[in-house]
Amino acid sequence: MQQLGVNIVGGGLAGCEAAWQCLNAGLEVTLYEMRPHKMTPAHKGGDLAELVCSNSLKSTKPDSASGQLKYEMRALNSIIVAAAYDAAVPAGDALAVDRELFSRAIEQHLSSYEKFHIVRSEIESVPRQPDDNQIWIIASGPLTSSALMQEIVNMCGAEDSAYFYDAIAPTLAADSIDYDKVFWCNRYDPEGHDYLNIPLSKDEYLEFIADVRYAAKVPLRDFEDQKYFESCLPIEVMVERGEDTLRFGPMKPVGILDPKTGEQPYAVIQLRKENLAGSMLSMVGFQTKMTWTEQARVFRKLPGLADAEFLRLGSIHRNSYLRSPLYLNPDLSFKAYPQIFLAGQITGVEGYLESAAMGLLAGRFAAGRCLQREFFSPPRGTLLGALLSHVTTDFGKNYQPMNANLGLLPVAVKQRRESKMQRKARQVLKAKEEFDTYLAQATEGG
Ligand SMILES: Cc1cc2nc3c(=O)[nH]c(=O)nc-3n(C[C@H](O)[C@H](O)[C@H](O)COP(=O)(O)OP(=O)(O)OC[C@H]3O[C@@H](n4cnc5c(N)ncnc54)[C@H](O)[C@@H]3O)c2cc1C
């Protein structure tokens, strides 16, 4: 009989983190990595945990979402966060790393375990019904090889179970909008409260499309082709098609009356709730390849958005991910195949740290399953719990990858004479307290 063990597909950030968590639980781990024999279009070599682009794991500030996520991951013995601090290079409040030192340290730590085995080959499918003592974790990332991606889609039994491109529209903090200049209503339903509308006059509209036309754009990478779905074109592509294209598309004003004037505006931008609490709003149909600096500049000129805080800016890039809430259990295992777990960016998170976070949780859940010792995840009010909830709880049809941001946490009720910064700091403090309580209970419970 095979030994009790965990098989992990993908030696990226999530796969290495999951491997580490399982090794620390005393399990035999086999990690399958296809590089360097078969490369992804973005990786440069065969190193484990290669950072494909920037060398930054974002802010270390304790009152930021990224800072809190690092705190939680560190407390749960994250190899990615520990190796990042060990390989840090000066970068102000950001945790930037020497990428080679970082990757090397991770490979060395993993390889120091006798129970760690690495197999350099592409996995095209995983056994759907593994032996009882075998668990699989798929952590093959946003550039999963096409054979495996097709197999994952087959496992889900629906061609539309996965997305292959990210078309992300900007998301704003609801409390950063000037509500004197915008109004709630649904199309043809003035009493509706699902959409926040930004009304534009003709002059404002023309200025906006000129701004979009001349704003700097992010160039396509050489492995990305400019094939967009007609239903989710970037706004700048629509602008190029004609002056009125946006006004007949996502900025269509029909059925919307401005309560101040009683008239239909010339054009409207609609924002929709991105989470149940309504603390995050996304700009409907506003996927864009404008650079992040330009997006902030152009969008802050819109009525009501002068002080807008962008929790996530728009982008369009190659990114394979599953519509996870439909197919995963709360512990990241497949509903139809409980011995197979999913981890990393492919679950529908975005970012190095977030991908590693989903590796950490998948590793702990999988180890718990192997050892028949249930792992209880951090609660919803922590950053880890909130990200897990995003990938396993269905919210609307339009499932989009999420980064760590404060909009994921419960809203802190505003106190008198409190600045926005103070309120946000209190929000993070609350998450920290919840996490500390969780950790104390988890430790007491063994
Ligand atoms: C081009 C690009 C740039 C990005 N830039 C940033 C950035 O600057 N900052 C940021 O925070 N995030 C960035 N991201 C997003 C994301 O954080 C990273 O992609 C991150 O590496 C995801 O971690 P992961 O472990 O899920 O996947 P990966 O780190 O990609 O790891 C997956 C691993 O699986 C392997 N693999 C794939 N298929 C198979 C198979 N069939 N068999 C065996 N092995 C397989 C791959 O070779 C890879 O090593 C970027 C993403 C892309 C695509």
Side-chain angles (χ1 to χ4, degrees):
M1 193 167 87
Q2 266 182 301
Q3 230 180 327
L4 191 65
V6 179
N7 306 277
I8 300 174
V9 185
L13 298 165
C16 290
E17 185 66 67
W20 177 250
Q21 299 293 334
C22 292
L23 288 167
N24 280 298
L27 292 164
E28 199 80 26
V29 173
T30 306
L31 181 73
Y32 296 89
E33 170 52 60
M34 66 180 186
R35 291 178 291 117
H37 306 305
K38 179 164 182 176
M39 297 297 288
T40 77
H43 288 82
K44 300 269 184 302
D47 286 350
L48 294 185
E50 180 183 323
L51 300 175
V52 279
C53 188
S54 131
N55 67 336
S56 167
L57 280 78
K58 300 196 191 130
S59 177
T60 54
K61 282 181 158 172
D63 59 355
S64 68
S66 266
Q68 175 60 21
L69 182 57
K70 287 183 189 71
Y71 172 81
E72 294 175 16
M73 290 175 70
R74 231 179 169 179
L76 292 179
N77 188 25
S78 161
I79 189 174
I80 296 294
V81 175
Y85 276 103
D86 286 347
V89 296
D93 288 329
L95 177 56
V97 303
D98 174 318
R99 56 182 82 231
E100 277 163 29
L101 280 185
F102 171 74
S103 288
R104 205 178 314 139
I106 289 168
E107 188 150 354
Q108 274 169 4
H109 282 309
L110 293 175
S111 306
S112 68
Y113 281 75
E114 265 180 30
K115 290 186 174 180
F116 179 70
H117 316 282
I118 178 154
V119 179
R120 297 276 181 177
S121 77
E122 180 187 1
I123 295 294
E124 297 194 346
S125 63
V126 299
R128 293 198 191 176
Q129 306 294 348
D131 291 346
D132 281 349
N133 52 5
Q134 294 295 302
I135 292 284
W136 283 78
I137 301 177
I138 301 176
S140 45
L143 304 168
T144 294
S145 71
S146 40
L148 180 59
M149 201 60 215
Q150 186 56 53
E151 173 60 9
I152 294 170
V153 169
N154 293 345
M155 281 166 60
C156 296
E159 275 307 315
D160 64 353
S161 53
Y163 296 94
F164 297 92
Y165 262 83
D166 242 3
I168 295 184
T171 302
L172 293 79
D175 61 2
S176 67
I177 295 170
D178 178 353
Y179 286 86
D180 286 340
K181 305 207 165 126
V182 296
F183 56 93
W184 290 99
C185 85
N186 298 356
R187 209 177 288 281
Y188 302 115
D189 174 12
E191 304 303 318
H193 213 263
D194 295 336
Y195 289 90
L196 187 68
N197 301 278
I198 302 177
L200 298 190
S201 65
K202 184 170 182 182
D203 286 347
E204 286 167 333
Y205 174 76
L206 293 177
E207 184 181 343
F208 175 69
I209 61 168
D211 281 343
V212 172
R213 176 170 292 132
Y214 297 115
K217 318 286 182 325
V218 178
L220 288 179
R221 287 165 186 271
D222 48 12
F223 60 88
E224 294 178 325
D225 42 7
Q226 190 141 6
K227 264 199 239 145
Y228 300 118
F229 297 112
E230 274 302 304
S231 57
C232 66
L233 290 175
I235 53 170
E236 53 274 13
V237 172
M238 284 191 256
V239 163
E240 288 307 324
R241 288 189 178 182
E243 186 177 292
D244 283 328
T245 310
L246 270 179
R247 230 165 61 78
F248 287 98
M251 294 179 73
K252 186 169 59 182
V254 284
I256 296 172
L257 295 183
D258 185 336
K260 273 198 192 137
T261 62
E263 290 181 6
Q264 181 176 297
Y266 189 73
V268 169
I269 295 170
Q270 293 201 297
L271 284 82
R272 186 175 44 211
K273 290 175 192 160
E274 217 9 56
N275 60 348
L276 287 171
S279 56
M280 299 193 267
L281 299 174
S282 64
M283 300 173 80
V284 180
F286 260 55
Q287 44 281 346
T288 173
K289 280 193 82 99
M290 285 190 286
T291 63
W292 286 0
T293 324
E294 289 286 76
Q295 288 183 46
R297 180 182 69 78
V298 170
F299 295 144
R300 286 204 178 107
K301 287 171 77 179
L302 292 168
L305 301 195
D307 296 320
E309 184 191 338
F310 291 96
L311 298 169
R312 186 177 60 171
L313 281 154
S315 66
I316 300 183
H317 62 90
R318 169 109 169 252
N319 185 17
S320 302
Y321 65 100
L322 197 68
R323 295 168 82 172
S324 294
L326 294 180
Y327 301 104
L328 298 187
N329 289 314
D331 68 355
L332 295 172
S333 62
F334 280 83
K335 289 178 183 167
Y337 308 102
Q339 278 172 259
I340 307 175
F341 292 73
L342 198 69
Q345 177 128 338
I346 194 172
T347 61
V349 291
E350 174 91 31
Y352 296 147
L353 199 63
E354 293 81 348
S355 302
M358 289 304 108
L360 186 153
L361 292 178
R364 288 207 167 215
F365 282 127
R369 181 82 65 77
C370 272
L371 300 166
Q372 293 174 355
R373 219 170 44 199
E374 194 174 352
F375 167 65
F376 293 97
S377 102
R380 171 79 186 72
T382 64
L383 248 308
L384 277 171
L387 282 170
L388 180 67
S389 163
H390 171 76
V391 302
T392 56
T393 313
D394 201 0
F395 180 74
K397 278 191 235 150
N398 187 20
Y399 181 61
Q400 290 206 335
M402 187 58 71
N403 57 349
N405 68 74
L406 295 186
L408 288 168
L409 296 176
V411 187
V413 180
K414 191 168 170 17
Q415 290 179 354
R416 280 187 65 209
R417 282 199 222 108
E418 188 182 41
S419 72
K420 209 181 270 178
M421 295 261 285
Q422 287 168 322
R423 181 148 60 103
K424 299 217 170 273
R426 208 156 46 76
Q427 208 185 353
V428 181
L429 188 63
K430 177 86 180 39
K432 182 175 178 301
E433 283 167 2
E434 272 207 42
F435 184 80
D436 290 344
T437 307
Y438 156 81
L439 199 62
Q441 284 167 352
T443 316
E444 271 168 32

